[in-house]
């Protein structure tokens, strides 16, 4: 598919982005639960097998740590990955 490791981690991590709408301010606030993934298992946090797999691979883990420390880097990389994925289109089955 021609997706890089960075693309894969950014796309995989997108579901860890939590966005809430603050009615009073009529805006969205987004934040990560990525830091929670790095801190280990917790009863209150659903961790998918795919989430845990990101920590097993050294290259992927370094990217998860990068995004945990720098959310702006995630947004930049995610935008690029999403565009790339969208431009790949789909194959008829």
């Amino acid at each position: 598919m021609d997706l890089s490791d960075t693309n894969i981690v950014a796309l995989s991590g997108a579901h860890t982005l939590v966005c809430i709408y603050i009615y009073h301010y009529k805006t969205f606030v987004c934040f990560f639960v990525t830091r929670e993934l790095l801190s280990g298992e917790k009863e209150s946090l659903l961790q998918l097998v795919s989430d845990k797999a990101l920590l097993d691979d050294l290259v992927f883990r370094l990217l998860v740590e990068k995004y945990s420390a720098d959310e702006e880097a995630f947004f930049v990389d995610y935008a690029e990955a999403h565009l790339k994925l969208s431009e790949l289109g789909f194959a008829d089955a």
Side-chain angles (χ1 to χ4, degrees):
M1 276 180 85
D2 198 30
L3 294 174
S4 69
D5 290 344
T6 300
N7 296 151
I8 292 167
V9 174
L11 291 168
S12 296
H15 76 273
T16 67
L17 179 65
V18 177
C19 295
I20 57 172
Y21 182 71
I22 299 177
Y23 180 76
H24 180 72
Y25 295 107
K26 296 188 173 149
T27 189
F28 279 94
V29 175
C30 299
F31 59 93
F32 280 99
V33 294
T34 307
R35 289 178 194 92
E36 295 296 323
L37 177 62
L38 290 169
S39 68
E41 291 196 35
K42 295 181 180 171
E43 269 189 46
S44 61
L45 180 65
L46 173 65
Q47 291 185 3
L48 303 176
V49 172
S50 59
D51 295 333
K52 294 176 187 178
L54 293 176
L55 301 180
D56 292 338
D57 179 273
L58 179 60
V59 173
F60 286 179
R61 184 183 186 93
L62 292 173
L63 287 164
V64 170
E65 290 171 354
K66 171 186 170 184
Y67 297 149
S68 179
D70 184 356
E71 293 177 7
E72 184 61 29
F74 167 79
F75 287 113
V76 169
D77 290 348
Y78 177 78
E80 177 186 313
H82 189 94
L83 178 63
K84 187 185 239 184
L85 184 63
S86 298
E87 290 175 344
L88 288 173
F90 64 94
D92 291 327

